[in-house]
Every structure is written in structure tokens, then in C-alpha cells.
Amino acid sequence: MRIYATINEPLLRRSFRREQESGRSGLTVIDRDLPAVGLRVRKDGTRIFFVHVARRPGARRNIDLGTTDAITAAEAREKAVATIAAANAEREAGPRFSEFAREFLFRQARRWKPSTRDSNRHLMERYLVPFFGTLHVADIPRADVRRWFDAMSGAPGNANWTLPVL
């Protein structure tokens, strides 16, 4: 069962017996003031604060913030706001190259012949992800691409094959 209320200390003292008896599973309380924050009350009585975030478009998930025994409602709200801000900053920066490479290979795989798919996957994993993996795709400057290409001077054939994949 799901209810909407302001999550505060008086709400945490409430028993919720009536609401729990009416539903088969636990109870979820969504905060009226900050709808991404919630309180999950399990059948055994455990109460867990959570925040609902989207780190990238289409990838929403709940992150547990802690139990009501460990943190107060105000602390949970502060942690939730910080988590939401971090997720927004990460989403604005775009995906990291390693995440993008995985998605790119998955989407392009059906357009390539099996041998092309295997060689491109190998080139991506061997030469591109180790160099660019931790960078956000939007933050890769042309100078880094040139630096990567110059670093591949020991294997010019591989550099020439990998550049179109990049």
C-alpha cells in the first residue's frame, strides 16, 4: 500500500497497523514535500528511508538511506537532497565512456556482421576503454583523442582500425 504524507518525527512514531493489515505487502510512505523521498515499512516492522533517483534517463532506482533507528527524518531528507543533486550532476555530465561503449556495442551489434562485431568489441575493450573509460563522453577533448592516437604509434595498424570505432 502507498500513502502520501509529510515524513517527519511524529509520522515515524505512528504504528501504521491499520494500513499494513489492509495490504499484502509492506507499506510505502511517499513524502508530500519531496516526492522522491520515501519510507518503507516492512511487514516485520522495519522502517527504511529511501530516495528514488535517475542517474541517467530511463534508469530509475531506489537507494536506501538508512533505517529509522540509525537516522532521523531530517537527516534522511538531507541525505536524499544530496543524493538527488549528485545524480543530477552525473546525468548532466553524461555517461562515462565505459558505460557508453557498452551501450554502443549493444545497439550496433545487430547492424554488424559477427566478425566485425567481435573485432570492434575487441578494439573497444583493448584500446579505447582503458584510455577513455573514466571520462564523461561530453568531456573528452580533441587533445585527448590526439594523445591517445599518438600513444598508439607502436601499433599504427591498430590505431587506424580503432579510430573509426571511436
Side-chain angles (χ1 to χ4, degrees):
M1 179 178 198
R2 178 178 286 187
I3 61 173
Y4 295 87
T6 302
I7 297 177
N8 52 21
E9 297 306 322
L11 179 91
L12 297 180
R13 290 191 291 272
R14 193 170 152 195
S15 68
F16 296 111
R17 275 190 225 118
R18 189 175 26 148
E19 290 88 350
Q20 281 187 294
E21 290 170 0
S22 66
R24 281 183 274 229
S25 62
L27 171 72
T28 302
V29 180
I30 304 296
D31 195 338
R32 253 190 222 130
D33 302 329
L34 192 59
V37 179
L39 173 70
R40 189 172 296 115
V41 182
R42 294 189 177 152
K43 279 290 207 183
D44 64 0
T46 307
R47 298 166 186 232
I48 301 170
F49 292 108
F50 69 91
V51 62
H52 189 76
V53 296
R55 296 208 181 275
R56 48 175 211 220
R60 295 183 167 274
R61 64 178 226 194
N62 290 336
I63 298 174
D64 289 343
L65 301 173
T67 63
T68 55
D69 297 333
I71 59 176
T72 65
E75 292 169 340
R77 184 181 298 275
E78 287 175 18
K79 283 176 82 173
V81 168
T83 304
I84 292 168
N88 288 342
E90 186 176 318
R91 190 173 55 236
E92 287 172 5
R96 298 205 181 273
F97 185 83
S98 57
E99 297 166 2
F100 177 78
R102 196 174 331 113
E103 187 174 332
F104 172 76
L105 289 172
F106 176 75
R107 288 184 179 190
Q108 294 298 318
R110 60 190 169 94
R111 294 188 175 107
W112 293 328
K113 291 191 249 181
S115 60
T116 304
R117 180 180 58 237
D118 293 340
S119 66
N120 286 349
R121 178 174 282 118
H122 171 74
L123 294 170
M124 185 79 77
E125 291 171 357
R126 169 95 189 211
Y127 300 111
L128 295 174
V129 171
F131 195 88
F132 297 110
T134 59
L135 299 173
H136 290 280
V137 174
D139 295 339
I140 297 175
R142 184 176 290 211
D144 281 354
V145 175
R146 287 184 190 198
R147 196 172 312 120
W148 164 80
F149 196 77
D150 291 343
M152 296 278 293
S153 64
N158 288 338
N160 291 334
W161 291 328
T162 309
L163 188 59
V165 177
L166 176 63

